[in-house]
Amino acid sequence: MRIGVPRALFYYMYYPFWKTFFEALGHEVILSSPTNKKILKDGLEFAVDDACLPVKVFHGHIVDLIEKVDVLFIPRIISIEPGEFICPKFLGLPDMVKSSIPDLPPIIDSNLSVYKNRKGLIEHAKSIGTDLGHSSKLILKAYKIASTKFNSYKKFQISHEKLPLDSGQKSFFDSNSSYFSRHKNKCLGENTLNVLLLGHPYNIYDNYISMNLITKLQKNGIKVITPEIIPVKNISAGAKNLKKRLFWTLGKNIIGSTYYYMDCGKALDGIIHLASFGCGPDSIVGELLERKLSRNRLVPFLRINIDEHSGEEGFNTRLEAFIDVIEGRRRN
Ligand code: SF4
């Protein structure tokens, strides 16, 4: 059976796991094309007007897959860390898509919640495998293969500080080298400029949405640090410095990374926050970041809000000005 996975939202977090899992069950995984003008246009046409840009783009990826697959994979994600939640838009995603796009193939929309404990992940896998008609024995075997592969992928990503950039038509898991950024992420050193890039993975790693932000920084000789290459224990240590606990996992990762770098004396030349216009969690996280940074006043901070109307020229101008500032500070 051909299972369609949209190259958007959760793809940037869990694709290696799900691809391995579905293939171990004997299915073919079909990925939508990298985000492009047509995908954005279709997303704008079908998604509700007040959705954020990543959700609109997600709808475009569904349209891209409709004719190519037997079933669509749109999990209903509630929680990806015990005691925390993810943005409610992820929870409503299967319903949003069903009510907005006609003539869809069947949808696998099992719940994923590890709010109580991590057993939620295996329950999620069991529910998907059962819906696809597999035995418990095969589902468990596929789950173990996928977990092992995913854990080693995450370890490799952190230990080698590899940024997960999408690289065109190939899926990133066909070979590790096609998935990770082709531009060298410079090593932390005296002469390297280090920039902490904050944002949701589906914004910063989608080249179309982010207007190639990572590549642009790396071409300027900047080492880009994102929450995905910071060890989880460091993010947790940073997040503990907040007076009140943040219950959104993605927001916690952003805040925890910032606090960790600011409070542990790590060499940083600048911080960029790429946020989605109209995103509730981003507006609160952005406010917390600005408060923290205005207290320290040590690191230049650039906040860029993106939506479907964002133009690349204005984006580039702001980025160039920011790079001039951090280079000037380093020279002086
Ligand atoms: S966290 Fe923000 S950008 Fe992400 S899906 Fe929710 S509203 Fe959209």
Side-chain angles (χ1 to χ4, degrees), residues 26 70-71 104 110 112 134 149 181 210 266 279 304 313:
D70 303 307
V71 287
L104 291 168
S110 315
L112 168 58
H134 297 290
K149 205 156 185 178
S181 164
S210 74
K266 294 272 175 192
C279 165
I304 305 177
E313 270 183 37

Side-chain angles (χ1 to χ4, degrees), residues 213 272-276 302-306 315 318-319:
L213 175 56
I272 300 177
H273 181 207
L274 190 70
S276 300
L302 173 66
R303 183 161 192 227
I304 305 177
N305 276 310
I306 44 168
F315 179 91
R318 292 188 67 198
L319 189 61

Side-chain angles (χ1 to χ4, degrees), residues 9 50-56 86-90 93 96 200 202-203 248 250-251 275-283:
L9 295 179
D50 55 359
C52 59
L53 179 62
V55 167
K56 287 176 179 163
I86 195 158
C87 168
K89 298 253 169 65
F90 279 79
L93 213 49
M96 267 195 263
H200 303 305
Y202 40 85
N203 281 338
W248 300 310
L250 299 185
S276 300
F277 188 78
C279 165
D282 266 348
S283 59

